[in-house]
Amino acid sequence: MTRTGRPRSQQADEAILEATRQALVDLGWGGLTMSDVAARAGVAKTTLYRRWANKNELVVDAVAALFDELRLPDRGSLRADIEGVVLQFGRLLERPETKTALMAVVAESTGDEALRCRIREAIVDRQKHLVIAGRRHAQDRGELPPDDGADPTAEIDLIFDVIAGAVVHRVLVSGESVDGAWAAALAALILGGLAGTVA
Amino acid sequence: MTRTGRPRSQQADEAILEATRQALVDLGWGGLTMSDVAARAGVAKTTLYRRWANKNELVVDAVAALFDELRLPDRGSLRADIEGVVLQFGRLLERPETKTALMAVVAESTGDEALRCRIREAIVDRQKHLVIAGRRHAQDRGELPPDDGADPTAEIDLIFDVIAGAVVHRVLVSGESVDGAWAAALAALILGGLAGTVA
Amino acid sequence: MTRTGRPRSQQADEAILEATRQALVDLGWGGLTMSDVAARAGVAKTTLYRRWANKNELVVDAVAALFDELRLPDRGSLRADIEGVVLQFGRLLERPETKTALMAVVAESTGDEALRCRIREAIVDRQKHLVIAGRRHAQDRGELPPDDGADPTAEIDLIFDVIAGAVVHRVLVSGESVDGAWAAALAALILGGLAGTVA
Amino acid sequence: MTRTGRPRSQQADEAILEATRQALVDLGWGGLTMSDVAARAGVAKTTLYRRWANKNELVVDAVAALFDELRLPDRGSLRADIEGVVLQFGRLLERPETKTALMAVVAESTGDEALRCRIREAIVDRQKHLVIAGRRHAQDRGELPPDDGADPTAEIDLIFDVIAGAVVHRVLVSGESVDGAWAAALAALILGGLAGTVA
DNA sequence: CTGTAACCGAGACGGTACGTCATGTCTTAGG
DNA sequence: CCTAAGACATGACGTACCGTCTCGGTTACAG
């Protein structure tokens, strides 16, 4: 089977995603329209719909790219690692394109299993990996006990929900920023909690 | 200035809010339309717009009523109080009308200060009150030290963001349910954290 | 059954039909779009579609109004009556809005029985009435024999197809104008033909 | 200058024209699309556009081929010749591909001089030739006087507009078929008219 | 007990975005 | 140079919802 016909323009893809992010900043989720994105990207609506079936999927992909920048360098201690990831995630969520888009697509994903999967793959799993990496670093340093054979999934999920949930809630619901003091307080709470549950 | 003219129908209000919740269950946030709500409530669109300026405000009020049922009975220990409120909040969020609506209005509130205020008054403050009450109960029992004169706001906000954020994240983003075991684990983490920060 | 709701704007109807005729002059049949008509009429597309289901029906109604002006005053002789109606019909067809629209809707009416009916009622029957009236005038004057009891429908239809067809063909297909000389020649041919068939 | 490169496929031309006629039958003028014609002909759109600039020209050529079959055999009398050509033309117009296409391209030719020329060359002149031939036959037989030096163009055009117009109008506008009786009646009218104008 | 003012239903209104479709051009790989 | 395949920019399509408005008609309080 030979590939035939004109190939899709790769540069159109990136132009569309960038236009989507810019439109989110300017107009918010509710004001974002496919026509506007197409116009900003210098692309026809058809081209846009050929790649993404609807607004939700487009925005997920556009926003997902922002999560690529999340990293977990070894900062020398579990406390520093937690503070680092909290600050990083906080700064990411405070960007207007993330702020306006993330909750909206999560809301739309209720009752749309395909969208939920796309979000999980593109965004959630990428963050959860940070928790797993941080845990491994701490075990290597001896700050946390090594795996005892029990499944650590539940604990990882809990820590993930606490960290990500707290940051999301503070930024989007409470509407306050994530600064060093708050990050330190959250890290202290979690460290205490880990010590308490371990003991 | 005397109020004259035909008074507004009080039963229309409740019919509209109930119709809104039902429509959210059936159609989700994206599929909900004002016309549909009006039709379900047996009411003209005019009547609807006379009371709520737009979809967001209507949904906030419709959903806010659900949060009235949150209570913090004294369960005898801080641990039990936390587990109780986590389970209560989890069950509330797992209802389809809450699930689909809450994140959506939060998303819309980005860049809409009036909407953000309405959400804060109608929803957020109502939940935060639970944290404050639980803290006072624990102090009365001697589980937590009494106020030392320092402003406890920061600590209350942190605990609130952690509890509410973790529950929201688990239910809406991770897509898993809040059961007794998870509630116990979260309560344990927070209790350990409080002990650690206090010590 | 009581009439309820806001009544339709009668002035919108006429604005739309006039805008349609003007758009036909400017753009021709192929270039005419519903959006453009709506914009010219200062009316929303919805308003337009509420009244006419598609381009064809709209144009039929817009053009039909032009045929209202066709009259058959008694000019004193059958020859003069024929010449008069030929000239009138020729002038009507030479107007750009008629020229471009008439054949197009006739073409579309192939395979659309509803459209064919609409055309017949709104346009064709209105013209055929002129032939019937002219025949009666001529009988009153003694130029044609009175009805002998036989059905005159076939003869009327033939004369109608010859006159209307010849004018349409000359103007639209041959692309030449209908002037006095041509009208006289056509009238002479028909008068001769009538005499021949009668004799 | 030598012709180089791959030569055009001659069989593609006929496949396209035949596909066009078939598509006209199935979909009518309004429903006919270039993509569909290309698909039916098993040909790429590029190939189609390389030969015909647009839909109108393609359809003119596709339909014009049908007019090639018009003939005027000498049937022995002017009356028989007229009846013959009327019946022939009627049968041609009653074919669905002709019916739906002819008026449509005529309508489009309003305001498109190039298209008008193409129609005249491909279709109109081919028919008018029949009138000229019939006239010459009749003169040869002595049924009509020989040319007296005056320009017969006006008379030929009139007869042509009357015959072609009447047939077109009966079939397409009145929506009735051209049968022997009607053809005879039309022939009688024209013969009477010729006699009357000559006398 | 009659105004009158604000309410009510219904539904038409001007807008705007939707997602699809057809047009005519272009860019590939291959004949 | 032609061909098939198919992506491209453009722009109209007909639908749906928005939030406003205009109707005729309905309360309930005021004079």
Side-chain angles (χ1 to χ4, degrees), chain B residues 38-39 43 60 67-68 70-72 76 86-89 94 121 138 141-143 175 177 187 189 194-195 198:
Chain B
V43 145
V60 170
F67 285 77
D68 286 340
L70 290 179
R71 292 284 180 279
L72 190 85
V86 165
L87 281 169
Q88 247 189 98
F89 191 42
E94 284 169 13
E121 288 171 15
R141 286 191 217 99
E143 292 175 294
S177 79
L189 185 100
L194 287 175
V198 166

Side-chain angles (χ1 to χ4, degrees), chain C residues 95-118:
Chain C
R95 293 170 63 164
E97 60 268 39
T98 322
K99 188 184 291 196
T100 196
L102 191 59
M103 288 298 94
V105 294
V106 166
E108 292 293 326
S109 77
T110 317
D112 181 342
E113 192 53 39
L115 184 57
R116 178 187 292 279
C117 283
R118 194 162 192 138

